[in-house]
Amino acid sequence: MMDTEDMVRGALRDEAARVAVADWSAGPVRAHVRRQQRARRAAMGASAVVAALAVVAGTGAVLSERRGGEAVAPASQAPRLPDGPAPEAVVVEPGQQLPLGRQDWWMKLNDQEICIHDAPAYRSGPGCSGYSWAGGATEITMQYYGASPQYQEGLYNLVYHGPGQVARMSLEVDGQAYWATVASLPGTPGYSAGYVWGPGKKTPDGPTAYPLDGVKLAAYDAQGVLLASKTLSS
């Protein structure tokens, strides 16, 4: 005796037998199938991207925006964090002299310029040397100033220009990590400067020989998100 399920299956088979796909419709059917396959592949790709981002978020990794559209980098490539708390960030007015912890060393910030007064070059005079940049580029970079006469230490001036508000900056030199003091203008000027005294990099090759290969820089916001990082090269 045929049960209800068998009756339904038979009816479906009979209906399918009466359906014929004409030659003219085969092409559109195949095109429709291909469109469905492409849509499924695109959906799978999007799902994979979402899954990858979820993995990044789940592991606590953060991404670094780099200059010129380069690929983002995971936080594991950033310099290692120094021991202890970072110095408190400071806010200065445009043109204000910020002492840098050594006699006759100071820094001032302007709209698109960071200017360092280094004692060996300017002594107690009013001059300073600046670093400026073109608008629109996101980057982290550094200026280095050797401190004479022995050159056993130097001033590392970190510069970040880009989105986000910098709260901490770090420097890694010869495997040793340091926090830099962050300084910025009021509001959201679009850049921040950091300064820290570290080991001198002068070599016997001459007064301008300061090899900085391998020095690592990083900038973080108040939540600890890595805004940018860079390893210097020759």
Side-chain angles (χ1 to χ4, degrees):
M1 182 175 180
M2 182 178 296
D3 58 19
T4 303
E5 185 177 351
D6 292 335
M7 293 175 63
V8 172
R9 289 176 177 172
L12 291 174
R13 283 196 297 270
D14 292 342
E15 186 65 25
R18 290 194 294 271
V19 176
V21 179
D23 292 340
W24 60 267
S25 64
V29 168
R30 284 194 294 268
H32 178 69
V33 171
R34 286 195 293 268
R35 284 195 298 271
Q36 286 184 322
Q37 291 173 337
R38 286 195 296 269
R40 283 195 295 270
R41 285 195 294 269
M44 291 175 64
S47 298
V49 171
V50 172
L53 292 176
V55 169
V56 169
T59 57
V62 288
L63 300 179
S64 166
E65 184 176 1
R66 300 297 298 276
R67 186 178 190 176
E70 296 177 10
V72 295
S76 60
Q77 296 181 5
R80 61 188 183 87
L81 294 178
D83 296 330
E88 185 176 354
V90 297
V91 177
V92 296
E93 296 298 325
Q96 175 186 341
Q97 292 185 11
L98 175 65
L100 298 179
R102 301 292 187 275
Q103 184 176 358
D104 291 331
W105 286 80
W106 49 261
M107 173 173 66
K108 67 179 181 180
L109 308 182
N110 295 314
D111 181 34
Q112 288 194 356
E113 181 188 47
I114 296 167
C115 206
I116 301 287
H117 175 96
D118 63 291
Y122 298 100
R123 302 186 183 277
S124 58
C128 62
S129 59
Y131 174 83
S132 60
W133 53 87
T138 296
E139 67 173 356
I140 185 168
T141 187
M142 190 194 78
Q143 302 181 93
Y144 175 81
Y145 296 83
S148 62
Q150 289 80 23
Y151 294 97
Q152 293 179 345
E153 68 172 358
L155 178 73
Y156 295 78
N157 171 218
L158 284 64
V159 182
Y160 169 76
H161 177 248
Q165 191 73 27
V166 176
R168 294 184 297 170
M169 286 182 167
S170 68
L171 170 79
E172 186 176 322
V173 183
D174 299 332
Q176 180 66 44
Y178 305 85
W179 287 120
T181 299
V182 175
S184 61
L185 297 174
T188 53
Y191 81 92
S192 294
Y195 68 90
V196 60
W197 291 92
K201 300 296 290 184
K202 184 178 181 299
T203 71
D205 298 331
T208 60
Y210 297 102
L212 298 175
D213 292 7
V215 173
K216 297 181 180 180
L217 323 170
Y220 305 85
D221 68 10
Q223 287 71 46
V225 175
L226 179 68
L227 298 175
S229 66
K230 185 177 187 178
T231 300
L232 301 183
S233 60
S234 57

